[in-house]
Amino acid sequence: MTTKLTGEIASYAELIGAAKDDARVLAKMQASPHFREQAPFLDPDSGATWIVVESASDGVRMQFRDGALAKASFEVAGSAHLDAHGEAEHLISGLDLSTASKEAVVEQLGAPAKRGRTSLQYVIDGVTLTVAFLNDRVRAVTVSDGKR
């Protein structure tokens, strides 16, 4: 059971709340030539302005709310919009997300703070970690500020 995030996802978790032009965020974006920024959009319910920066071929999406990183997501199984992240076994140390079941995630991370029909949610290191499943296999993993 873990109480601290380790692996590649931890480096993104540390950036939650950082500005889009923060040098650490820019370094993540510059690590792949495939990152593309989408046009900003206004959420009519919250009034927040969102910007999505993603690398479809790397399976990574960063979402910025009012200029600050609110979510970083990694596709493990791949989707219609993003390919599978090429190194899912390195996202969370000690857990190969490309083959992990719900039971394996709970064994590694412990009891979730919230359990949904298709997801497990943890609060670790001050961020929310959500593991989404499809047919009992990890589909995607997200670190966020826990807000909508």
Side-chain angles (χ1 to χ4, degrees):
M1 179 172 12
T2 188
T3 57
K4 183 159 183 60
L5 280 176
T6 58
E8 182 182 356
I9 203 160
S11 67
Y12 283 83
E14 293 170 356
L15 298 177
I16 297 297
K20 190 165 109 7
D21 62 356
D22 181 296
R24 300 166 302 156
V25 173
L26 293 174
K28 291 288 188 194
M29 287 190 242
Q30 292 167 352
S32 170
H34 306 291
F35 274 106
R36 300 291 181 260
E37 183 173 320
Q38 298 177 5
F41 65 93
L42 180 67
D43 180 340
D45 295 328
S46 69
T49 299
W50 287 87
I51 296 174
V52 174
V53 179
E54 66 184 14
S55 174
S57 61
D58 296 317
V60 181
R61 174 180 290 135
M62 292 185 277
Q63 297 174 310
F64 297 85
R65 181 192 314 104
D66 294 330
L69 183 61
K71 299 178 183 182
S73 303
F74 302 85
E75 279 293 327
V76 174
S79 70
H81 303 287
L82 296 175
D83 292 342
H85 185 66
E87 298 184 354
E89 69 276 12
H90 299 297
L91 286 171
I92 298 174
S93 295
L95 191 60
D96 183 350
L97 294 176
S98 65
T99 59
S101 64
K102 273 188 185 178
E103 292 81 23
V105 171
V106 171
E107 184 176 308
Q108 178 73 22
L109 300 178
K114 185 177 178 183
R115 183 185 293 260
R117 189 174 53 80
T118 60
S119 66
L120 300 173
Q121 197 171 74
Y122 297 86
V123 178
I124 303 173
D125 292 340
V127 299
T128 299
L129 170 71
T130 304
V131 183
F133 296 88
L134 179 64
N135 299 326
D136 196 45
R137 292 287 180 226
V138 177
R139 181 186 61 77
V141 60
T142 301
V143 287
S144 72
D145 60 12
K147 302 174 188 171
R148 291 194 171 258

